[in-house]
């Protein structure tokens, strides 16, 4: 408190890696507990609301059920009516606003920040047209948002087309996804203290613009590419299959129960549920380990030739054991003393061959790997000991995390 007796709330600070989704279970409140237990069992860490609860009564019930299942709740702010309900991690304020909405959003963001909450606003992707953004360029859109809204976190949705033959020549591609996240990374690091950024990625077929369903390797590619670029939260589109003709194929993480009369409230885990459970298990370990660490650089390499690396603990990397189509991303944290290595090929496994710097660097001489199951640092093993150099095997779209101690 101040000498005037005003309550000063501690500013919101992210204390866990966020794994969440769009479309929370659209069920009556008496089913919140059983559905949220299933969400927690899939290794999600945050319940983003907005669909299953939209008024102070149901939002209060949603927060209680989420908390019981160790999920941080980010419910609908109900146009301001829910901002004083206690127990939420933050509030969901707006989805895909253009610049003309920023002034009204700024008021709700200020209200949430004043009570020590996260103010969740999800921004448009970099394949939105200037007229959709209300800005000449995507960079202008982000800069105006920072200036007018003064957020305490950033979020964007970007749903890349993995079949690039359907691409419209815009940024709705894997390359565009990376560019979008790099833009958010730059924005998040441009303010002191830094603010975290999160992102939604695609997990289901929708409309006519996303003809193909998403494979487990493509889910991995999206999640781990985000982590390598510095994201502190990833969100799946969607968890619960939403209503509407564009989603009639189902196949979100939860899908309309096969064989039953169609009812949006009657859904069961689809084939993606165990995939997501596996991915999230590793994401939680990696994401929480990296939570307090700051992204220091992002390096992209491709081809079978050797790329010599500067200012990193690996002196070189090549895909000679994989072939000319190999692609890797090195997401570096902690002044480049930690590397998240991602196989950027979402169709094929890869072997990366790295040269290791054994020199003493601030007393950190030993390369260790973060074990994805235990969360413990272990000595790394060469995955192809008959080959020269040090080999790291990766499934399509998968990641490994190395650090020096």
């Amino acid at each position: 408190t101040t000498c005037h007796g005003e309550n000063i709330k501690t500013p919101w600070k992210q204390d866990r890696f966020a794994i969440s989704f769009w479309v929370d279970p659209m069920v009556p409140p008496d089913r919140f507990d059983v559905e949220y237990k299933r969400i927690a069992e899939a290794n999600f860490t945050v319940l983003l609301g907005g669909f299953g609860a939209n008024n102070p009564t149901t939002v209060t019930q949603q927060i209680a059920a989420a908390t019981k299942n160790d999920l941080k709740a980010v419910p609908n702010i109900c146009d301001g009516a829910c901002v004083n309900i206690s127990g939420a991690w933050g509030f969901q304020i707006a989805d895909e606003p253009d610049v003309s909405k920023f002034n009204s959003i700024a008021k709700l963001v200020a209200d949430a920040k004043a009570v020590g909450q996260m103010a969740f606003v999800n921004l448009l992707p970099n394949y939105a047209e200037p007229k959709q953004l209300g800005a000449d360029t995507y960079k202008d859109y982000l800069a105006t948002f920072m200036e007018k809204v003064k957020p305490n976190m950033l979020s964007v949705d970007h749903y890349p087309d993995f079949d690039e033959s359907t691409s419209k020549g815009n940024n709705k591609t894997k390359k565009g996804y990376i560019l979008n996240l790099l833009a958010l990374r730059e924005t998040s690091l441009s303010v002191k203290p830094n603010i975290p950024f999160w992102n939604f990625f695609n997990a289901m077929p929708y409309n006519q613009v996303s003809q193909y369903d998403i494979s487990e390797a493509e889910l991995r590619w999206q999640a781990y590419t985000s982590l390598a670029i510095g994201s502190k939260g990833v969100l799946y589109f969607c968890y619960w299959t939403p209503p509407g003709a564009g989603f009639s194929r189902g196949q979100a993480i939860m899908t309309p129960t096969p064989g039953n009369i169609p009812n949006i409230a009657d859904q069961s885990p689809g084939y993606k549920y165990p995939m997501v459970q596996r991915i999230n298990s590793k994401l939680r370990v990696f994401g929480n380990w990296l939570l307090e660490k700051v992204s220091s650089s992002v390096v992209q390499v491709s081809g079978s030739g050797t790329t010599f690396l500067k200012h990193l603990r690996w002196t070189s990397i090549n895909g000679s054991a994989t072939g000319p189509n190999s692609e890797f991303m090195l997401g570096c944290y902690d002044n480049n003393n930690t590397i998240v290595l991602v196989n950027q090929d979402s169709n094929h496994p890869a072997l990366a061959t790295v040269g290791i710097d054994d020199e003493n660097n601030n007393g950190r001489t030993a390369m260790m790997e973060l074990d994805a199951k235990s969360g413990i640092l272990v000595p790394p093993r060469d995955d192809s000991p008959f080959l020269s150099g040090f080999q790291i095997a990766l499934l399509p779209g998968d990641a490994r995390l190395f650090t020096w101690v």
Side-chain angles (χ1 to χ4, degrees), residues 30-52:
D30 64 2
R31 280 183 53 198
F32 284 174
D33 185 39
V34 68
E35 292 296 347
Y36 296 178
K37 183 173 185 287
R38 186 171 12 226
I39 288 167
E41 287 171 349
N43 296 304
F44 288 98
T45 64
V46 175
L47 180 92
L48 184 72
F51 290 82

Side-chain angles (χ1 to χ4, degrees), residues 96-357:
E96 297 189 333
D98 62 33
V99 166
S100 71
K101 309 281 195 322
F102 287 176
N103 285 333
S104 59
I105 288 168
K107 167 77 170 65
L108 291 170
V109 167
D111 289 346
K113 287 168 65 178
V115 293
Q117 306 283 24
M118 176 186 62
F120 186 86
V121 177
N122 181 56
L123 297 171
L124 286 158
N126 62 354
Y127 51 85
E129 299 290 336
K131 64 177 183 293
Q132 292 173 281
L133 299 170
D136 290 339
T137 67
Y138 195 69
K139 187 172 184 176
D140 290 344
Y141 175 71
L142 292 178
T144 307
F145 181 73
M146 293 297 288
E147 179 191 345
K148 290 193 171 182
V149 178
K150 298 178 174 54
N152 57 2
M153 62 85 68
L154 293 166
S155 175
V156 72
D157 54 32
H158 191 294
Y159 309 135
D161 290 330
F162 284 88
D163 176 14
E164 302 209 347
S165 68
T166 64
S167 172
K168 309 287 191 296
N170 59 15
N171 274 322
K172 201 176 185 305
T173 58
K174 290 170 72 176
K175 181 181 177 183
Y177 182 89
I178 291 168
L179 291 172
N180 206 156
L181 294 184
L182 287 171
L184 258 70
R185 175 186 179 274
E186 182 181 355
T187 304
S188 79
L189 295 173
S190 70
V191 289
K192 295 287 184 275
N194 304 152
I195 59 173
F197 74 89
W198 301 1
N199 71 284
F200 286 93
F201 56 78
N202 194 24
M204 70 180 297
Y206 67 93
N207 298 345
Q208 296 303 308
V209 296
S210 179
Q211 296 281 20
Y212 294 99
D213 204 351
I214 303 294
S215 71
E216 183 167 2
E218 290 163 348
L219 291 173
R220 279 197 301 260
W221 184 91
Q222 293 175 103
Y224 294 126
T225 296
S226 298
L227 190 69
I229 292 173
S231 180
K232 301 299 183 185
V234 294
L235 305 98
Y236 292 76
F237 180 88
C238 296
Y239 178 77
W240 199 261
T241 295
F247 304 103
S248 58
R249 285 170 283 184
Q251 313 314 317
I253 299 165
M254 296 288 288
T255 194
T257 302
N260 286 7
I261 295 166
N263 176 355
I264 209 67
D266 178 14
Q267 301 199 20
S268 304
Y271 66 84
K272 288 203 189 83
Y273 183 93
M275 296 179 184
V276 167
Q277 195 173 39
R278 282 192 290 274
I279 293 168
N280 290 353
S281 173
K282 181 168 164 176
L283 264 178
R284 280 179 81 158
V285 171
F286 283 17
N288 284 327
W289 196 85
L290 291 168
L291 190 63
E292 298 295 328
K293 293 178 169 56
V294 178
S295 172
S296 48
S297 62
V298 180
V299 179
Q300 297 179 76
V301 299
S302 61
S304 54
T306 298
T307 300
F308 293 97
L309 304 168
K310 293 183 179 178
H311 314 298
L312 265 65
R313 300 304 301 269
W314 289 339
T315 55
S316 64
I317 184 168
N318 75 71
S320 60
T322 303
N325 295 323
S326 66
E327 292 181 82
F328 301 105
M329 176 179 284
L330 289 70
C332 305
Y333 286 78
D334 188 24
N335 296 316
N336 297 349
N337 276 302
T338 294
I339 298 173
V340 179
L341 178 68
V342 184
N343 178 8
Q344 286 289 287
D345 187 336
S346 49
N347 295 317
H348 305 98
L351 271 175
T353 301
V354 298
I356 299 170
D357 174 11

